[in-house]
Amino acid sequence: MRAFEDPERWDAVARHYEETAHPFTARFAEAALARVPLDARSRVLDVAAGTGALARAAARTGAQVLATDFSPGMVARIAAAGLQNVEARVMDGQALALPDGAFDAVFSIFGVIMFPDWRRGLSEMARVTRPGGTGVVATWRDEGAASFLLLGRIRRTLFPERAGLPMPEAVRALSTPQDFARELVAAGYRDPEIAVVVHDYVLDVAALADPETVFGLSPDWTGLGAADQAAVVAEARRMAAGQASLRIPSTALVAVARR
């Protein structure tokens, strides 16, 4: 089992993820929400919600939101936010325990792309979207984003002979708008529109004093020895060239389709 397919790993990093990854992924969640009109009558599902970047943003529209994730630790972080119109449940996105056509809008922001059977995940999203409703999926481009992207680049510079862990299959399969649109149609959606969304991940160089807070979510970091980790930190500082922060442009594809 790959690390990102293990709910216990996500349980272990849930609080750290909420503090570090959540604020960045929330920017892409907002971009996705801007493409779908929601109001207090809307029924929204967030699949593989993580700590709820999309769910919490959708709740601000007044919509009734159900956030699901296979990690109890992630679900607990969503529930701890205490939002009255957000329900959080532990659930496998490859087999949603939900009725057909139950939601007006179904989102997965960098979630379904992590599934072992991501095509099944897309089909499940389409199944629970009402006819005429909307499905929204966000995926990273091939090399990932944020600190994962930075770490991959540094590893290729320092350790070119060592292969890092590959990105999930879906990230590679959905890396062009044409491929992404085709898979959404195969899953049961129609008329997909794919937008390219880019945000800079801004790394405060001071955070490298505790590199676990920067790279600790990545198995490519935890698999390095202490000397190699120190070399990675030194290279990140060199890349910053004496500046207080390091900007890493991160590219996502955000797809909106009708049911």
Side-chain angles (χ1 to χ4, degrees), residues 55-80:
R56 299 187 206 191
R60 293 196 291 271
T61 71
Q64 296 299 309
V65 182
L66 172 61
T68 65
D69 199 282
F70 77 156
S71 161
M74 293 289 188
V75 169
R77 299 311 308 157
I78 299 171

PDB file of all heavy atoms in Angstrom, residues 55-80:
ATOM      1  N   ALA A  55     -15.055  22.304   1.960  1.00  0.00           N
ATOM      2  CA  ALA A  55     -16.286  22.226   2.760  1.00  0.00           C
ATOM      3  C   ALA A  55     -16.502  23.496   3.572  1.00  0.00           C
ATOM      4  O   ALA A  55     -17.619  24.028   3.629  1.00  0.00           O
ATOM      5  CB  ALA A  55     -16.229  21.010   3.678  1.00  0.00           C
ATOM      6  N   ARG A  56     -15.452  23.987   4.182  1.00  0.00           N
ATOM      7  CA  ARG A  56     -15.592  25.188   5.017  1.00  0.00           C
ATOM      8  C   ARG A  56     -15.893  26.418   4.162  1.00  0.00           C
ATOM      9  O   ARG A  56     -16.699  27.269   4.553  1.00  0.00           O
ATOM     10  CB  ARG A  56     -14.321  25.404   5.835  1.00  0.00           C
ATOM     11  CG  ARG A  56     -14.007  24.255   6.793  1.00  0.00           C
ATOM     12  CD  ARG A  56     -12.833  24.592   7.690  1.00  0.00           C
ATOM     13  NE  ARG A  56     -12.125  23.402   8.156  1.00  0.00           N
ATOM     14  CZ  ARG A  56     -11.213  23.411   9.107  1.00  0.00           C
ATOM     15  NH1 ARG A  56     -10.878  24.554   9.703  1.00  0.00           N
ATOM     16  NH2 ARG A  56     -10.600  22.302   9.485  1.00  0.00           N
ATOM     17  N   ALA A  57     -15.272  26.496   2.992  1.00  0.00           N
ATOM     18  CA  ALA A  57     -15.553  27.625   2.104  1.00  0.00           C
ATOM     19  C   ALA A  57     -16.977  27.545   1.573  1.00  0.00           C
ATOM     20  O   ALA A  57     -17.685  28.557   1.496  1.00  0.00           O
ATOM     21  CB  ALA A  57     -14.546  27.653   0.962  1.00  0.00           C
ATOM     22  N   ALA A  58     -17.430  26.354   1.203  1.00  0.00           N
ATOM     23  CA  ALA A  58     -18.795  26.185   0.706  1.00  0.00           C
ATOM     24  C   ALA A  58     -19.813  26.532   1.776  1.00  0.00           C
ATOM     25  O   ALA A  58     -20.891  27.073   1.484  1.00  0.00           O
ATOM     26  CB  ALA A  58     -18.998  24.757   0.216  1.00  0.00           C
ATOM     27  N   ALA A  59     -19.492  26.238   3.022  1.00  0.00           N
ATOM     28  CA  ALA A  59     -20.418  26.531   4.121  1.00  0.00           C
ATOM     29  C   ALA A  59     -20.707  28.021   4.226  1.00  0.00           C
ATOM     30  O   ALA A  59     -21.798  28.421   4.655  1.00  0.00           O
ATOM     31  CB  ALA A  59     -19.852  26.010   5.431  1.00  0.00           C
ATOM     32  N   ARG A  60     -19.756  28.850   3.819  1.00  0.00           N
ATOM     33  CA  ARG A  60     -19.959  30.295   3.910  1.00  0.00           C
ATOM     34  C   ARG A  60     -21.027  30.794   2.941  1.00  0.00           C
ATOM     35  O   ARG A  60     -21.528  31.910   3.096  1.00  0.00           O
ATOM     36  CB  ARG A  60     -18.630  31.029   3.674  1.00  0.00           C
ATOM     37  CG  ARG A  60     -17.612  30.793   4.791  1.00  0.00           C
ATOM     38  CD  ARG A  60     -16.481  31.810   4.740  1.00  0.00           C
ATOM     39  NE  ARG A  60     -15.621  31.638   3.586  1.00  0.00           N
ATOM     40  CZ  ARG A  60     -14.539  30.852   3.569  1.00  0.00           C
ATOM     41  NH1 ARG A  60     -14.207  30.151   4.650  1.00  0.00           N
ATOM     42  NH2 ARG A  60     -13.790  30.774   2.483  1.00  0.00           N
ATOM     43  N   THR A  61     -21.385  29.975   1.960  1.00  0.00           N
ATOM     44  CA  THR A  61     -22.467  30.352   1.048  1.00  0.00           C
ATOM     45  C   THR A  61     -23.835  30.067   1.658  1.00  0.00           C
ATOM     46  O   THR A  61     -24.856  30.446   1.081  1.00  0.00           O
ATOM     47  CB  THR A  61     -22.355  29.587  -0.277  1.00  0.00           C
ATOM     48  OG1 THR A  61     -22.681  28.202  -0.069  1.00  0.00           O
ATOM     49  CG2 THR A  61     -20.963  29.712  -0.877  1.00  0.00           C
ATOM     50  N   GLY A  62     -23.859  29.369   2.787  1.00  0.00           N
ATOM     51  CA  GLY A  62     -25.117  28.953   3.401  1.00  0.00           C
ATOM     52  C   GLY A  62     -25.553  27.564   3.007  1.00  0.00           C
ATOM     53  O   GLY A  62     -26.534  27.035   3.528  1.00  0.00           O
ATOM     54  N   ALA A  63     -24.827  26.934   2.064  1.00  0.00           N
ATOM     55  CA  ALA A  63     -25.181  25.597   1.591  1.00  0.00           C
ATOM     56  C   ALA A  63     -25.072  24.574   2.719  1.00  0.00           C
ATOM     57  O   ALA A  63     -24.328  24.758   3.692  1.00  0.00           O
ATOM     58  CB  ALA A  63     -24.264  25.197   0.439  1.00  0.00           C
ATOM     59  N   GLN A  64     -25.821  23.474   2.567  1.00  0.00           N
ATOM     60  CA  GLN A  64     -25.701  22.340   3.464  1.00  0.00           C
ATOM     61  C   GLN A  64     -24.627  21.413   2.912  1.00  0.00           C
ATOM     62  O   GLN A  64     -24.741  20.918   1.784  1.00  0.00           O
ATOM     63  CB  GLN A  64     -27.033  21.604   3.582  1.00  0.00           C
ATOM     64  CG  GLN A  64     -28.132  22.439   4.209  1.00  0.00           C
ATOM     65  CD  GLN A  64     -27.765  22.870   5.630  1.00  0.00           C
ATOM     66  OE1 GLN A  64     -27.378  22.043   6.460  1.00  0.00           O
ATOM     67  NE2 GLN A  64     -27.888  24.159   5.899  1.00  0.00           N
ATOM     68  N   VAL A  65     -23.583  21.178   3.703  1.00  0.00           N
ATOM     69  CA  VAL A  65     -22.390  20.507   3.197  1.00  0.00           C
ATOM     70  C   VAL A  65     -22.151  19.210   3.956  1.00  0.00           C
ATOM     71  O   VAL A  65     -22.190  19.176   5.192  1.00  0.00           O
ATOM     72  CB  VAL A  65     -21.151  21.420   3.347  1.00  0.00           C
ATOM     73  CG1 VAL A  65     -19.915  20.725   2.781  1.00  0.00           C
ATOM     74  CG2 VAL A  65     -21.377  22.761   2.666  1.00  0.00           C
ATOM     75  N   LEU A  66     -21.883  18.153   3.194  1.00  0.00           N
ATOM     76  CA  LEU A  66     -21.402  16.899   3.765  1.00  0.00           C
ATOM     77  C   LEU A  66     -19.963  16.711   3.310  1.00  0.00           C
ATOM     78  O   LEU A  66     -19.684  16.695   2.107  1.00  0.00           O
ATOM     79  CB  LEU A  66     -22.255  15.715   3.300  1.00  0.00           C
ATOM     80  CG  LEU A  66     -21.735  14.320   3.691  1.00  0.00           C
ATOM     81  CD1 LEU A  66     -21.661  14.159   5.211  1.00  0.00           C
ATOM     82  CD2 LEU A  66     -22.593  13.219   3.069  1.00  0.00           C
ATOM     83  N   ALA A  67     -19.041  16.584   4.262  1.00  0.00           N
ATOM     84  CA  ALA A  67     -17.628  16.362   3.967  1.00  0.00           C
ATOM     85  C   ALA A  67     -17.271  14.931   4.331  1.00  0.00           C
ATOM     86  O   ALA A  67     -17.551  14.480   5.446  1.00  0.00           O
ATOM     87  CB  ALA A  67     -16.754  17.340   4.752  1.00  0.00           C
ATOM     88  N   THR A  68     -16.683  14.193   3.388  1.00  0.00           N
ATOM     89  CA  THR A  68     -16.310  12.808   3.631  1.00  0.00           C
ATOM     90  C   THR A  68     -14.827  12.603   3.387  1.00  0.00           C
ATOM     91  O   THR A  68     -14.229  13.242   2.511  1.00  0.00           O
ATOM     92  CB  THR A  68     -17.095  11.843   2.721  1.00  0.00           C
ATOM     93  OG1 THR A  68     -16.732  12.072   1.347  1.00  0.00           O
ATOM     94  CG2 THR A  68     -18.592  12.033   2.885  1.00  0.00           C
ATOM     95  N   ASP A  69     -14.240  11.699   4.163  1.00  0.00           N
ATOM     96  CA  ASP A  69     -12.840  11.317   3.965  1.00  0.00           C
ATOM     97  C   ASP A  69     -12.646   9.942   4.587  1.00  0.00           C
ATOM     98  O   ASP A  69     -13.362   9.576   5.536  1.00  0.00           O
ATOM     99  CB  ASP A  69     -11.896  12.334   4.609  1.00  0.00           C
ATOM    100  CG  ASP A  69     -10.483  12.256   4.048  1.00  0.00           C
ATOM    101  OD1 ASP A  69      -9.730  11.343   4.446  1.00  0.00           O
ATOM    102  OD2 ASP A  69     -10.136  13.085   3.183  1.00  0.00           O
ATOM    103  N   PHE A  70     -11.678   9.171   4.068  1.00  0.00           N
ATOM    104  CA  PHE A  70     -11.442   7.840   4.636  1.00  0.00           C
ATOM    105  C   PHE A  70     -10.598   7.887   5.903  1.00  0.00           C
ATOM    106  O   PHE A  70     -10.433   6.885   6.584  1.00  0.00           O
ATOM    107  CB  PHE A  70     -10.848   6.895   3.603  1.00  0.00           C
ATOM    108  CG  PHE A  70      -9.376   7.056   3.284  1.00  0.00           C
ATOM    109  CD1 PHE A  70      -8.657   5.983   2.781  1.00  0.00           C
ATOM    110  CD2 PHE A  70      -8.701   8.263   3.460  1.00  0.00           C
ATOM    111  CE1 PHE A  70      -7.299   6.097   2.471  1.00  0.00           C
ATOM    112  CE2 PHE A  70      -7.353   8.395   3.155  1.00  0.00           C
ATOM    113  CZ  PHE A  70      -6.657   7.295   2.659  1.00  0.00           C
ATOM    114  N   SER A  71     -10.069   9.070   6.218  1.00  0.00           N
ATOM    115  CA  SER A  71      -9.225   9.236   7.402  1.00  0.00           C
ATOM    116  C   SER A  71     -10.031   9.797   8.569  1.00  0.00           C
ATOM    117  O   SER A  71     -10.486  10.950   8.522  1.00  0.00           O
ATOM    118  CB  SER A  71      -8.071  10.196   7.087  1.00  0.00           C
ATOM    119  OG  SER A  71      -7.489  10.712   8.258  1.00  0.00           O
ATOM    120  N   PRO A  72     -10.230   9.025   9.639  1.00  0.00           N
ATOM    121  CA  PRO A  72     -10.938   9.559  10.804  1.00  0.00           C
ATOM    122  C   PRO A  72     -10.265  10.803  11.376  1.00  0.00           C
ATOM    123  O   PRO A  72     -10.946  11.705  11.877  1.00  0.00           O
ATOM    124  CB  PRO A  72     -10.900   8.397  11.808  1.00  0.00           C
ATOM    125  CG  PRO A  72     -10.783   7.167  10.962  1.00  0.00           C
ATOM    126  CD  PRO A  72      -9.918   7.584   9.800  1.00  0.00           C
ATOM    127  N   GLY A  73      -8.941  10.871  11.292  1.00  0.00           N
ATOM    128  CA  GLY A  73      -8.245  12.045  11.804  1.00  0.00           C
ATOM    129  C   GLY A  73      -8.588  13.295  11.035  1.00  0.00           C
ATOM    130  O   GLY A  73      -8.759  14.382  11.613  1.00  0.00           O
ATOM    131  N   MET A  74      -8.688  13.194   9.729  1.00  0.00           N
ATOM    132  CA  MET A  74      -9.081  14.344   8.910  1.00  0.00           C
ATOM    133  C   MET A  74     -10.518  14.748   9.215  1.00  0.00           C
ATOM    134  O   MET A  74     -10.828  15.937   9.390  1.00  0.00           O
ATOM    135  CB  MET A  74      -8.921  14.010   7.425  1.00  0.00           C
ATOM    136  CG  MET A  74      -7.489  13.819   6.978  1.00  0.00           C
ATOM    137  SD  MET A  74      -6.572  15.389   6.944  1.00  0.00           S
ATOM    138  CE  MET A  74      -5.038  14.852   6.162  1.00  0.00           C
ATOM    139  N   VAL A  75     -11.400  13.773   9.274  1.00  0.00           N
ATOM    140  CA  VAL A  75     -12.813  14.051   9.569  1.00  0.00           C
ATOM    141  C   VAL A  75     -12.954  14.737  10.923  1.00  0.00           C
ATOM    142  O   VAL A  75     -13.757  15.659  11.095  1.00  0.00           O
ATOM    143  CB  VAL A  75     -13.633  12.750   9.495  1.00  0.00           C
ATOM    144  CG1 VAL A  75     -15.036  12.952  10.053  1.00  0.00           C
ATOM    145  CG2 VAL A  75     -13.707  12.259   8.050  1.00  0.00           C
ATOM    146  N   ALA A  76     -12.155  14.314  11.893  1.00  0.00           N
ATOM    147  CA  ALA A  76     -12.218  14.927  13.224  1.00  0.00           C
ATOM    148  C   ALA A  76     -11.832  16.401  13.175  1.00  0.00           C
ATOM    149  O   ALA A  76     -12.412  17.226  13.895  1.00  0.00           O
ATOM    150  CB  ALA A  76     -11.298  14.175  14.187  1.00  0.00           C
ATOM    151  N   ARG A  77     -10.860  16.761  12.304  1.00  0.00           N
ATOM    152  CA  ARG A  77     -10.469  18.162  12.188  1.00  0.00           C
ATOM    153  C   ARG A  77     -11.598  18.994  11.587  1.00  0.00           C
ATOM    154  O   ARG A  77     -11.824  20.138  11.983  1.00  0.00           O
ATOM    155  CB  ARG A  77      -9.205  18.309  11.323  1.00  0.00           C
ATOM    156  CG  ARG A  77      -7.963  17.600  11.852  1.00  0.00           C
ATOM    157  CD  ARG A  77      -7.676  17.866  13.300  1.00  0.00           C
ATOM    158  NE  ARG A  77      -7.647  19.284  13.599  1.00  0.00           N
ATOM    159  CZ  ARG A  77      -7.842  19.805  14.807  1.00  0.00           C
ATOM    160  NH1 ARG A  77      -8.146  19.017  15.833  1.00  0.00           N
ATOM    161  NH2 ARG A  77      -7.781  21.094  14.999  1.00  0.00           N
ATOM    162  N   ILE A  78     -12.327  18.438  10.623  1.00  0.00           N
ATOM    163  CA  ILE A  78     -13.468  19.159  10.043  1.00  0.00           C
ATOM    164  C   ILE A  78     -14.547  19.354  11.101  1.00  0.00           C
ATOM    165  O   ILE A  78     -15.092  20.452  11.266  1.00  0.00           O
ATOM    166  CB  ILE A  78     -14.037  18.390   8.842  1.00  0.00           C
ATOM    167  CG1 ILE A  78     -12.986  18.248   7.748  1.00  0.00           C
ATOM    168  CG2 ILE A  78     -15.276  19.098   8.287  1.00  0.00           C
ATOM    169  CD1 ILE A  78     -13.378  17.315   6.618  1.00  0.00           C
ATOM    170  N   ALA A  79     -14.847  18.279  11.825  1.00  0.00           N
ATOM    171  CA  ALA A  79     -15.884  18.366  12.855  1.00  0.00           C
ATOM    172  C   ALA A  79     -15.502  19.372  13.936  1.00  0.00           C
ATOM    173  O   ALA A  79     -16.359  20.086  14.478  1.00  0.00           O
ATOM    174  CB  ALA A  79     -16.126  16.988  13.468  1.00  0.00           C
ATOM    175  N   ALA A  80     -14.205  19.459  14.248  1.00  0.00           N
ATOM    176  CA  ALA A  80     -13.750  20.366  15.301  1.00  0.00           C
ATOM    177  C   ALA A  80     -13.968  21.827  14.945  1.00  0.00           C
ATOM    178  O   ALA A  80     -14.009  22.683  15.839  1.00  0.00           O
ATOM    179  CB  ALA A  80     -12.273  20.117  15.599  1.00  0.00           C
TER     180      ALA A  80
END
